[in-house]
């Protein structure tokens, strides 16, 4: 536990250092705009690390998998960035602002990272297992992460998250993709509120930490009906509307573990929003426009829905500010960056017969009234902030923030129509699922809520009274996420609801870890009678699976994205599967020659042998 905690701290620290240096190098050519300060540089540190990882990924592809496939290239290039940077260019904020920021960060880590640290691991089954396996394939030298199917795998998921995780692993020798995912969650829990604060500072420079607090602490009213710590890990079992439930329209609950691509993409979207406002407010120089476009494109390399939101924010900005030329240039840069991933995907789309829908069931979509009710105090705070911003509508920053919220509202309308009419969007119904649209709307609304809280602060004459009034609002709003965090701690500690990565089955001396250490992405594994164990070996090593049966699916069990390849996979499964290079069987009888690993999993003893 202690070793894991210090490993987590090390990964977060080195990631922050490299990201800060990269962000400063990017900003060194960008004339400091009005209102640019320490919070924006901190936000740029997270975005800078993503851009650093994207650059490494491009180099990784060009070199045929050498960058992440070897242990020394990433640390060497990180050292070069730190040496070129040499020294910080920015000054620390005032003691008051720094104290508020440190205090808020401590509260956020206690609420949102505390359950994972106490329980051993905040990673959950669902999408994270796929991201772990894809990342391990990069670390094993695959040029792009393809997936668990032998021969037929052609991944159509953006590789941005996997490049970020692979970079984090290579920065800290002895770490792994699971630790990288945990460290990423810490950065997300801090980064999303930071993005909201930086957006609010475009209109009111002193509203940043209040907007950050609104984004991270203001939950809904479900606690009024709850009789204790409550957090529902499946929306189908929700008991308080859209409140106190995972995948809620209130993004507070997305800060609870695990880390997912849309959360990292949301941070990049916020950074892109800040850059868009700056580019439109300043002298519209090419560099400002390029930075805004690059951040939006990077968001797409992590999460396609966040890229769609970025484009919508840009289009809304062009309409409301009537300044189309710089926005079109931003969009061109964003699309060029996005094309690093989407170009090969389009080629495969044409070559292999389009896309097949691989989502067994879309997530729950809430009626608009119930969804907005889950925002709790944030809804009136944001509404008042919009009214305050309208008063300053002659100012570009105010128009920009209004455009972002309006663009998200328009996307939400499209999402509601998609659900009503059942649009499949060429096998990509999740692209405009409400669960992908609410986080950007919540981020923009939190910025306006921060402006309202600052207005309240200024209207209360006594500093003590102001602290009591604003503090009371935040304390009432934070009751819900605190109760959710307490319940989440219990869930993770009990290894319940898919939070199994802190259990004994995945301990360093368990069979899964021992077997994964001997496998790589060129190996094809067959597991006798336990498909969950088979997929775990893919997650932890990147190895391919000779056979696999997902009981939730009738065919295409490994969710191959292209119809032609999916059909060929089903044919191979019907014929007995692929020829394995390794077999996993239950131990029994005399010792087998050529045993590579043996250990416990699921209360049984298993052995890994060469086929």
């Amino acid at each position: 536990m202690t070793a894991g905690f210090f490993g987590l701290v090390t990964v977060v620290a080195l990631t922050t250092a490299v990201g800060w240096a990269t962000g400063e190098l990017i900003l060194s050519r960008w004339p400091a705009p009005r209102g640019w300060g320490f919070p924006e540089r901190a936000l740029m540190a997270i975005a800078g690390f993503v851009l650093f990882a994207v650059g490494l990924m491009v180099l990784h592809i060009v070199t045929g998998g050498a960058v992440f496939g070897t242990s020394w290239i990433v640390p060497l290039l990180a050292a070069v960035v730190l040496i070129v940077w040499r020294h910080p260019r920015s000054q620390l904020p005032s003691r008051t602002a720094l104290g508020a920021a440190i205090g808020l960060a401590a509260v956020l880590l206690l609420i949102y990272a505390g359950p994972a640290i106490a329980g051993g691991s905040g990673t959950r089954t669902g999408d994270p297992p796929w991201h772990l396996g894809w990342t391990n394939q990069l670390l094993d030298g695959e040029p792009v992460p393809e997936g668990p199917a032998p021969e037929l795998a052609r991944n159509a998921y953006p590789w941005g998250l996997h490049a970020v995780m692979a970079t984090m692993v290579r920065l800290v020798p002895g770490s792994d993709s699971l630790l990288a995912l945990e460290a990423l969650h810490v950065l997300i829990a801090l980064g999303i509120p930071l993005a909201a604060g930086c957006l609010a500072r475009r209109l009111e420079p002193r509203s940043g930490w209040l907007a950050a607090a609104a984004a991270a602490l203001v939950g809904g009213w479900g606690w009024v009906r709850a009789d204790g710590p409550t957090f529902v890990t499946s929306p189908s079992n929700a008991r308080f509307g859209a409140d106190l439930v995972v995948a809620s329209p209130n993004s507070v609950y997305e800060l609870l573990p695990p880390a997912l691509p849309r959360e990292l993409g949301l941070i990049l979207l916020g950074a892109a929003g800040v850059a868009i406002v700056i580019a439109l407010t300043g002298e519209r120089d090419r560099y400002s426009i390029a930075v805004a476009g690059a951040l939006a494109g990077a968001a797409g390399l992590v999460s396609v829905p966040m890229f769609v939101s970025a484009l919508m924010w840009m289009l809304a900005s062009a309409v409301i500010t009537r300044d189309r030329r710089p926005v079109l240039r931003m969009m061109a840069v964003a699309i060029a960056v996005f094309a690093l991933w989407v170009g090969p995907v389009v080629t495969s789309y044409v070559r292999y017969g389009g896309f097949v829908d691989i989502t067994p069931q879309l997530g729950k979509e809430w009626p608009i009234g119930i969804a907005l009710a889950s925002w709790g105090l944030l809804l009136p705070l944001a509404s008042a902030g919009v009214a305050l911003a309208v008063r300053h509508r002659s100012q570009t920053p105010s128009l920009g923030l209004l455009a972002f919220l309006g663009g998200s509202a328009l996307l939400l309308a499209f999402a509601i129509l998609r659900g009503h009419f059942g649009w499949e969007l060429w096998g990509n119904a999740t692209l405009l699922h409400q669960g992908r649209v609410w986080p950007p709307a919540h981020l923009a609304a939190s910025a306006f809520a921060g402006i309202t809280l600052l207005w309240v602060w200024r209207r209360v004459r006594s500093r003590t009274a102001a602290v009591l009034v604003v503090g009371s609002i935040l304390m009432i709003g934070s009751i819900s996420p605190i109760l959710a965090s307490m319940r989440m701690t219990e869930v993770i500690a009990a290894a319940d609801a898919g939070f199994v990565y802190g259990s004994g089955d995945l301990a360093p001396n368990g069979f899964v870890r021992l077997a994964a250490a001997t496998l790589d992405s060129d190996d094809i594994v067959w597991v006798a009678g336990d498909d969950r164990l088979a997929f775990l070996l893919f997650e932890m090593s990147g190895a391919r699976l000779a056979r696999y049966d997902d009981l939730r699916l009738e065919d295409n069990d490994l969710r191959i994205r292209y119809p032609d390849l999916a059909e060929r996979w089903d044919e191979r499964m019907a014929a007995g599967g692929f020829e394995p290079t390794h077999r996993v069987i239950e131990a029994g009888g005399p010792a087998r020659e050529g045993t590579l690993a043996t250990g416990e999993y699921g209360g049984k003893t298993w052995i890994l042998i060469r086929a």
Side-chain angles (χ1 to χ4, degrees):
M1 176 69 180
T2 302
F5 176 77
F6 282 109
L8 178 68
V9 171
T10 303
V11 174
V12 172
L14 286 179
T15 298
T16 302
V18 174
W20 194 282
T22 305
E24 287 292 310
L25 290 174
I26 293 172
L27 296 174
S28 64
R29 294 189 56 196
W30 196 355
R34 182 180 180 183
W36 186 272
F38 190 83
E40 286 78 13
R41 294 185 184 280
L43 178 61
M44 197 63 191
I46 300 177
F49 187 82
V50 175
L51 293 175
F52 176 72
V54 167
L56 292 180
M57 183 64 190
V58 174
L59 188 59
H60 179 80
I61 295 172
V62 172
T63 58
V67 173
F68 297 127
T70 55
S71 61
W72 57 273
I73 295 180
V74 173
L76 176 63
L77 295 177
V80 170
V81 169
L82 291 170
I83 292 171
V84 172
W85 173 50
R86 293 184 182 177
H87 61 276
R89 298 178 59 255
S90 58
Q91 296 180 349
L92 289 175
S94 66
R95 290 184 179 181
T96 302
L98 184 60
I102 292 175
L104 179 59
V107 170
L108 296 185
L109 291 178
L110 180 63
I111 294 176
Y112 298 112
I117 294 173
S121 174
T123 303
R124 186 188 188 191
T125 52
D127 289 344
W130 293 86
H131 300 310
L132 292 171
W134 284 323
T135 299
N136 280 317
Q137 289 184 335
L138 284 183
L139 293 169
D140 197 48
E142 293 287 334
V144 292
E146 292 187 337
E151 302 176 19
L152 305 176
R154 300 291 188 280
N155 183 22
Y157 199 99
W159 41 247
L161 177 73
H162 317 129
V164 168
M165 290 171 60
T167 303
M168 298 170 87
V169 172
R170 288 304 185 206
L171 277 179
V172 182
S175 63
D176 57 25
S177 58
L178 192 57
L179 184 61
L181 199 59
E182 303 284 0
L184 190 61
H185 171 244
V186 173
L187 294 177
I188 286 173
L190 298 175
I192 291 178
L194 182 61
C198 290
L199 285 172
R201 279 167 51 84
R202 307 282 56 81
L203 185 57
E204 289 284 356
R206 295 184 59 192
S207 65
W209 71 274
L210 291 170
L217 295 178
V218 180
W221 297 107
W223 60 272
V224 175
R225 295 168 53 196
D227 56 1
T230 302
F231 185 68
V232 181
T233 55
S234 174
S236 60
N237 298 325
R239 289 176 287 170
F240 308 106
D243 195 27
L244 287 168
V245 62
V246 72
S248 168
N250 186 328
S251 295
V252 158
Y253 305 113
E254 293 192 23
L255 297 178
L256 291 165
L260 292 173
R262 64 174 173 266
E263 279 87 61
L264 181 59
L266 186 62
I267 296 174
L268 294 168
L269 176 64
V274 172
I276 290 169
V277 173
I278 290 173
L280 294 179
T281 305
E283 297 179 357
R284 296 164 178 76
D285 60 284
R286 294 181 179 179
Y287 191 76
S288 300
I289 292 171
V291 171
L295 291 172
L301 295 178
V302 172
S303 170
V304 177
M306 294 304 110
F307 180 71
V308 174
S309 288
L311 293 181
M312 184 59 74
W313 281 17
M314 290 179 179
L315 287 173
S317 298
V319 172
I320 199 169
T321 63
R322 300 180 181 179
D323 203 353
R324 297 178 180 83
R325 182 172 296 179
V327 172
L328 291 176
R329 291 176 178 173
M330 291 178 206
M331 294 179 67
V333 174
I335 292 171
V337 173
F338 186 60
L340 295 172
W341 164 77
V342 80
V345 170
V346 171
T347 301
S348 296
Y349 178 91
V350 174
R351 182 179 179 184
Y352 298 116
F355 284 146
V356 61
D357 189 359
I358 58 173
T359 304
Q361 182 179 357
L362 287 175
K364 186 176 181 64
E365 294 184 305
W366 305 91
I368 188 69
I370 294 176
L372 288 175
S374 73
W375 285 17
L377 284 172
L378 187 74
L379 183 59
L381 291 174
S383 300
V386 169
L388 291 171
V390 169
R391 292 184 181 180
H392 304 279
R393 58 183 178 274
S394 60
Q395 301 177 11
T396 300
S398 180
L399 290 177
L401 291 181
L402 290 170
F404 297 161
L405 189 59
S408 291
L410 186 58
L411 273 181
L412 180 60
F414 286 146
I416 293 173
L417 291 174
R418 181 213 56 76
H420 179 75
F421 291 105
W423 298 336
E424 295 185 359
L425 302 179
W426 307 282
N428 290 275
T430 56
L431 192 63
L432 279 181
H433 186 272
Q434 284 190 33
R436 307 304 190 271
V437 178
W438 279 114
H442 189 272
L443 184 70
S446 298
F448 286 107
I451 294 169
T452 299
L453 289 173
L454 180 63
W455 182 87
V456 172
W457 180 281
R458 287 172 171 172
R459 290 301 180 276
V460 179
R461 294 183 179 181
S462 167
R463 177 61 60 89
T464 301
V467 171
L468 289 175
V469 172
V470 174
S472 297
I473 293 173
L474 295 176
M475 287 180 64
I476 293 172
S478 66
I479 293 175
S480 186
I482 289 173
L483 292 178
S485 177
M486 294 169 63
R487 176 56 185 155
M488 176 61 78
T489 302
E490 298 173 357
V491 170
I492 294 177
D496 193 15
F499 290 93
V500 299
Y501 289 85
S503 65
D505 283 338
L506 288 164
N509 60 348
F511 176 73
V512 174
R513 294 293 189 97
L514 295 174
T518 68
L519 297 170
D520 57 41
S521 61
D522 292 328
D523 296 326
I524 304 175
V525 182
W526 174 73
V527 179
D530 196 322
D531 288 308
R532 172 58 184 151
L533 176 56
F535 205 84
L536 274 170
L537 292 176
F538 158 69
E539 296 172 40
M540 297 300 170
S541 69
R544 315 298 175 120
L545 305 183
R547 306 170 198 173
Y548 183 74
D549 182 23
D550 189 331
L551 297 178
R552 297 170 298 174
L553 304 173
E554 296 182 2
D555 50 21
N556 192 21
D557 297 84
L558 288 182
R559 304 185 189 184
I560 298 173
R561 200 69 173 89
Y562 304 102
D564 294 351
L565 299 180
E567 183 178 354
R568 286 163 60 186
W569 161 265
D570 291 333
E571 292 173 355
R572 289 296 294 266
M573 290 301 101
F578 292 85
E579 187 67 25
T581 62
H582 295 73
R583 295 177 184 270
V584 175
I585 59 177
E586 288 188 50
R592 291 175 175 266
E593 183 178 354
T595 297
L596 301 176
T598 181
E600 297 294 320
Y601 171 77
K604 302 177 182 178
T605 302
W606 299 82
I607 60 174
L608 172 69
I609 59 175
R610 295 190 184 277

